[in-house]
Amino acid sequence: MSDSAPEPHPAASKRVPLGAGARRWLFRPPRRHGEVDPGRSVSFLELFYDLVYVVLVGQAAHTLAEHFTWRGTATFAVVFGLIWIAWLNGTLFYQLHGREDGHTRSLIFVQMLLLSLMAVYVGHADGDDGRTLAALYAVLLALLSYQWFTVYRLDQPELRRTPRRYLIVMLLGVVVMAASAPLSADARLVVWAVFVVAWSAVECVILIFWRRAPTYEVVTEALVERFGLFIIIVLGEVVIGVVNGLTDTERGAIVTTTGLLGLAVGFGFWWNYADLVSRRLPREIGHSLATWIFVHMPLSMAVAAAGAGMVGLVEHATDDRTPAAVSWLMG
C-alpha cells in the first residue's frame, strides 16, 4: 500500500463555505447590459408575479363595468396605463438583468406586496383612495428605480448614457406621482394622464435611439411569451365580464346567447393575437421594437375594457337598444 496522502475528491475543491454561498445567493448583483440569456424560458417566479396583475386589472375593469361614463372610462384608461407601466418595468428588468437567486426573488416579492396593496385602492382611484394609490405607486417606482440603478453602477462608463436617461425619467416619475397625492381627484387624474402619456413617449424615444445600432439582442422568446401572457390576463376579463353579466341578469335564451357571442368576441381577440403577434420576435431595430412594445398598452387596454363592456352588453341583452355608453365602449 502507498504511504502518500489520498487525492482530494474533485467536488471537495469546488465547495463554497455556507456563509459565502448564502451571501452570494442573497446579494449577487444583477446581470449587466448585454448579458441576456437567449435560451431561457419563463420562470415560475414570473408567472407568480403576473398573477398580481390579474387582480389589479380585474379591480380596474370591475369598476368600469359599474360606471359606464366618460369619467369612468377615462379613469380606467389612466389607471390601466399606470398598471401597464409598472408591469413593463418589472418584466424588462427580469428579462435583461434578473437572476434565479434570492436577491431577485426578494425584490420581486417586495414589488408584489406593493402591487397587492395598490389593488385595494385601484377600484376607487378617482376618489380619496387615489391619494394612497399615488403614494404606493411612487414607492413602487422608487423601488424599480433602485433596481435600474444597481445595473447602471455596474455598467462600463461608455454604456451608461441610455441607462442614465431611463433612470432620470423613472426618478421624475417618482416625484410626479408623489406630488399628485395631495391634489384634488380631478387634478390628480390629469397629472396621472400626463405622466402615462409623457413617460411612454419619452421612453419610446429613448428606446429608438438605444436600439438604432444594436450591439446585442434584448428580445427573446421568453420576453415575447411574457407579453402574450399579459394579453391572456386581459382576455380573462372578457370571460369574467360574460360570467358576471349572466350571473347578475335574469337568464333567458337571448341573454345566454348574447353572453356566448361575447365569448366569441374574446375568442376572436385571442385568435388574431395568437396568429399574428404571439411567438413572433419583433425586429431589434429601434422604431420596430418600440412600436411592438408600446402598442401592447392600448391593445391590452382595449381588450380589458371590452371585458368590462361585456357586463353591460349581457345585462341589457333584452333591451331594444344597447345603452350608448356600452356601445361606445365596445366600439
Side-chain angles (χ1 to χ4, degrees):
M1 296 181 63
S2 172
D3 293 333
S4 60
E7 291 290 333
H9 192 276
S13 60
K14 297 181 180 180
R15 288 175 182 163
V16 180
L18 180 61
R23 285 193 298 271
R24 176 179 174 80
W25 194 72
L26 288 171
F27 302 107
R28 188 181 181 187
R31 289 180 283 134
R32 301 182 182 187
H33 281 100
E35 297 179 1
V36 179
D37 182 6
R40 80 173 190 89
S41 58
V42 176
S43 67
F44 285 145
L45 181 59
E46 291 172 284
L47 298 175
F48 191 23
Y49 178 74
D50 285 350
L51 276 178
V52 183
Y53 286 94
V54 174
V55 180
L56 279 163
V57 174
Q59 290 289 88
H62 179 74
T63 301
L64 177 60
E66 293 182 345
H67 301 90
F68 288 120
T69 62
W70 289 111
R71 172 63 179 263
T73 304
T75 301
F76 170 81
V78 172
V79 170
F80 188 95
L82 295 176
I83 293 171
W84 189 85
I85 288 173
W87 176 85
L88 179 66
N89 271 279
T91 297
L92 288 182
F93 185 86
Y94 192 98
Q95 163 71 11
L96 298 175
H97 311 294
R99 298 184 186 275
E100 288 289 344
D101 59 10
H103 185 233
T104 298
R105 292 180 181 184
S106 298
L107 289 173
I108 288 183
F109 285 154
V110 174
Q111 285 185 49
M112 292 172 67
L113 290 174
L114 289 171
L115 291 166
S116 298
L117 287 175
M118 286 169 52
V120 177
Y121 301 95
V122 160
H124 299 90
D126 61 341
D128 290 339
D129 282 359
R131 302 179 188 276
T132 306
L133 180 63
L136 289 171
Y137 198 85
V139 174
L140 178 64
L141 288 182
L143 174 61
L144 290 167
S145 299
Y146 163 75
Q147 290 183 248
W148 291 115
F149 176 73
T150 59
V151 178
Y152 170 80
R153 65 184 182 184
L154 292 174
D155 284 335
Q156 299 296 328
E158 62 271 15
L159 297 177
R160 289 182 173 180
R161 185 176 182 180
T162 298
R164 184 188 301 119
R165 292 172 176 174
Y166 193 95
L167 190 57
I168 289 173
V169 176
M170 290 294 294
L171 291 174
L172 288 175
V174 175
V175 175
V176 170
M177 292 303 296
S180 71
L183 300 178
S184 65
D186 291 341
R188 188 166 54 245
L189 189 62
V190 172
V191 171
W192 289 357
V194 172
F195 167 75
V196 170
V197 174
W199 189 95
S200 300
V202 173
E203 296 298 3
C204 187
V205 172
I206 291 176
L207 179 59
I208 290 174
F209 279 93
W210 177 45
R211 305 304 294 174
R212 176 174 289 179
T215 57
Y216 62 91
E217 296 181 354
V218 301
V219 180
T220 65
E221 292 183 358
L223 181 63
V224 173
E225 185 177 351
R226 287 296 301 282
F227 275 82
L229 289 172
F230 194 82
I231 293 295
I232 295 298
I233 289 174
V234 294
L235 279 171
E237 293 305 316
V238 175
V239 179
I240 293 173
V242 171
V243 172
N244 286 342
L246 290 174
T247 302
D248 299 335
T249 308
E250 184 177 348
R251 289 172 291 281
I254 294 180
V255 172
T256 303
T257 302
T258 302
L260 295 178
L261 289 174
L263 285 178
V265 172
F267 298 159
F269 289 157
W270 174 87
W271 199 315
N272 280 276
Y273 186 85
D275 283 352
L276 302 177
V277 182
S278 180
R279 296 188 178 90
R280 295 174 183 266
L281 273 65
R283 292 188 298 168
E284 291 281 350
I285 302 300
H287 66 276
S288 297
L289 182 57
T291 300
W292 183 84
I293 289 177
F294 284 96
V295 166
H296 269 86
M297 178 168 66
L299 172 64
S300 55
M301 182 190 301
V303 176
M310 293 298 174
V311 178
L313 202 63
V314 174
E315 288 181 347
H316 297 277
T318 57
D319 294 358
D320 294 334
R321 178 183 174 86
T322 302
V326 177
S327 298
W328 277 108
L329 180 65
M330 295 301 297

